[in-house]
Amino acid sequence: PNTLEVEDSDGDDVTISVKTVDFEIAAVSAEHGSNDTVRVTARSRKMQQMRKEKGQESFGRISPTAFAAAMAAKFGLQFFGEDTPIDGNIVREQNEQKDESTYDVLTRLAREVEFMFFEANGVMFFASEEFILENQPSIEVNVPSNEDDPFFASNLTVSRSADSNVSASTFNVNMV
């Protein structure tokens, strides 16, 4: 769709579609003051489903990357990952102190191996920053972004610094 579509299919989850990406509302807050504000947190529907999947489960003795690839396939995402060695059993914990989701497990595993873990444009990434950059032929972001662009920029900032001996630029982009 070219515009925002909101659908409440069963009264529990609200799906929002922007361009060709489905999101699910995760939280809503309202503030009353000099400027009334309503904040809506919406996440990629597939990643939100990972955040909801909970319960004690052992996934066996597999590598963090193999686990990430299996979860990407389970939730209908493509996968881009860097190999990791097997290092014990992978477990999603649930007890009085901890109630991990599949998303929490992937976040923990990524932190342990110093990887990035995120989803962009229907692809789950589980790899080091260096690996991601080395294995991308190029990343082109058009501003403003069009409906058929591979990456849609929702926010972009560019800054340049010349306050040292070496000039530097910083580029930050949030993509849908």
Side-chain angles (χ1 to χ4, degrees), residues 17-41:
S17 297
V18 179
K19 302 290 181 186
T20 58
V21 180
D22 288 338
F23 295 89
E24 185 175 307
I25 293 179
V28 177
S29 65
E31 296 176 23
H32 178 67
S34 58
N35 292 318
D36 291 341
T37 305
V38 175
R39 286 187 173 78
V40 177
T41 302

Side-chain angles (χ1 to χ4, degrees), residues 21-120:
V21 180
D22 288 338
F23 295 89
E24 185 175 307
I25 293 179
V28 177
S29 65
E31 296 176 23
H32 178 67
S34 58
N35 292 318
D36 291 341
T37 305
V38 175
R39 286 187 173 78
V40 177
T41 302
R43 296 187 178 106
S44 153
R45 184 167 188 79
K46 292 174 182 180
M47 294 299 277
Q48 183 65 10
Q49 289 170 341
M50 275 187 211
R51 289 174 183 263
K52 290 180 175 181
E53 184 179 67
K54 294 186 175 191
Q56 180 75 27
E57 187 169 346
S58 176
F59 298 95
R61 191 167 166 75
I62 60 173
S63 73
T65 302
F67 175 74
M71 294 303 103
K74 178 179 182 176
F75 289 96
L77 295 167
Q78 295 176 28
F79 183 70
F80 179 88
E82 180 178 353
D83 289 337
T84 53
I86 295 172
D87 187 24
N89 289 329
I90 294 177
V91 176
R92 185 175 60 219
E93 293 184 60
Q94 183 179 40
N95 55 47
E96 290 181 15
Q97 291 80 31
K98 197 181 266 190
D99 189 18
E100 281 189 312
S101 67
T102 299
Y103 182 91
D104 295 332
V105 174
L106 286 162
T107 300
R108 174 173 45 83
L109 294 172
R111 186 177 51 251
E112 289 171 1
V113 295
E114 299 180 359
F115 276 7
M116 302 292 296
F117 161 59
F118 62 95
E119 180 266 337

